[in-house]
Amino acid sequence: LYVNAALLGLAELPGRVIAYLLMDRIGRKKTFILSMILACICMFISIWDNATNKKIMYCFGKIMTGVLWAVIYLYSSEMYPTKIRSLGAGMGSASARVAAFLAPFVVTLIEVNTSLPYIIVGTLALVCYGVFWFLPETAGKDLPQTIEEFENLFHEPEKKYKPEGGNEMAKI
């Protein structure tokens, strides 16, 4: 039990590195969308596959979870205007805690149908993907200072993100 928990915790580390590299190259929004799609695919493959493949998909999904958490924490801090930034980050963190509280109850639905937890989590991930699709890219933009600047993020035409000066990690 403890070995599995340790291995799954370690599986998120490559996700954080992947997130850092991708966010720098393709932006936060595309990194989130790509990771969410891959996580959804892992969930839906787990419905029909054998036990070994389910474990492999679960570990790969855990890596994608590491990517998603890194993107969400950075994105949420860049998204909100200065006056409500801490409130927005707090609401996001509180929502994550509620979801973490409800997760064990979703797992118990395996007694009703073995595929039901995978279907619920995969469907919720697709809903998150759909909502995130309409949010603006924040990479390479100034942080909004006012509510008006925040609203302007949604009205600016979406530009292809190009990092300035290349990979920041390479400069260190």
Side-chain angles (χ1 to χ4, degrees):
L1 179 67
Y2 298 114
V3 174
N4 284 343
L7 291 175
L8 291 175
L10 287 173
E12 285 193 29
L13 291 177
R16 304 298 166 120
V17 172
I18 292 167
Y20 177 78
L21 295 173
L22 287 179
M23 284 190 292
D24 187 42
R25 287 182 174 79
I26 65 174
R28 286 93 166 107
K29 186 175 177 178
K30 288 180 183 174
T31 301
F32 181 89
I33 289 172
L34 176 66
S35 302
M36 187 60 82
I37 289 170
L38 292 174
C40 287
I41 289 170
C42 289
M43 279 310 227
F44 290 124
I45 286 175
S46 296
I47 294 171
W48 297 286
D49 245 344
N50 62 37
T52 303
N53 286 345
K54 279 185 182 185
K55 289 177 185 172
I56 293 169
M57 288 295 109
Y58 186 74
C59 286
F60 187 72
K62 213 42 185 154
I63 291 170
M64 291 299 102
T65 301
V67 174
L68 291 166
W69 275 110
V71 173
I72 285 297
Y73 272 110
L74 181 62
Y75 189 84
S76 64
S77 68
E78 292 177 343
M79 183 73 163
Y80 294 107
T82 301
K83 287 188 175 186
I84 61 168
R85 189 167 292 137
S86 61
L87 175 65
M91 290 298 291
S93 183
S95 300
R97 301 300 169 248
V98 170
F101 172 76
L102 295 174
F105 298 109
V106 172
V107 173
T108 61
L109 293 174
I110 205 163
E111 296 170 5
V112 176
N113 183 330
T114 56
S115 300
L116 196 54
Y118 299 105
I119 292 169
I120 290 172
V121 173
T123 303
L124 288 173
L126 285 175
V127 169
C128 290
Y129 161 77
V131 169
F132 205 86
W133 186 264
F134 295 102
L135 296 176
E137 176 63 71
T138 60
K141 294 184 180 178
D142 293 331
L143 296 178
Q145 302 299 316
T146 64
I147 302 291
E148 184 178 274
E149 290 177 5
F150 168 72
E151 290 173 349
N152 288 338
L153 283 175
F154 290 91
H155 301 295
E156 293 176 357
E158 196 74 27
K159 296 176 184 173
K160 185 173 180 177
Y161 171 67
K162 292 181 183 177
E164 294 177 21
N167 187 350
E168 296 299 318
M169 191 64 146
K171 294 178 183 177
I172 297 178

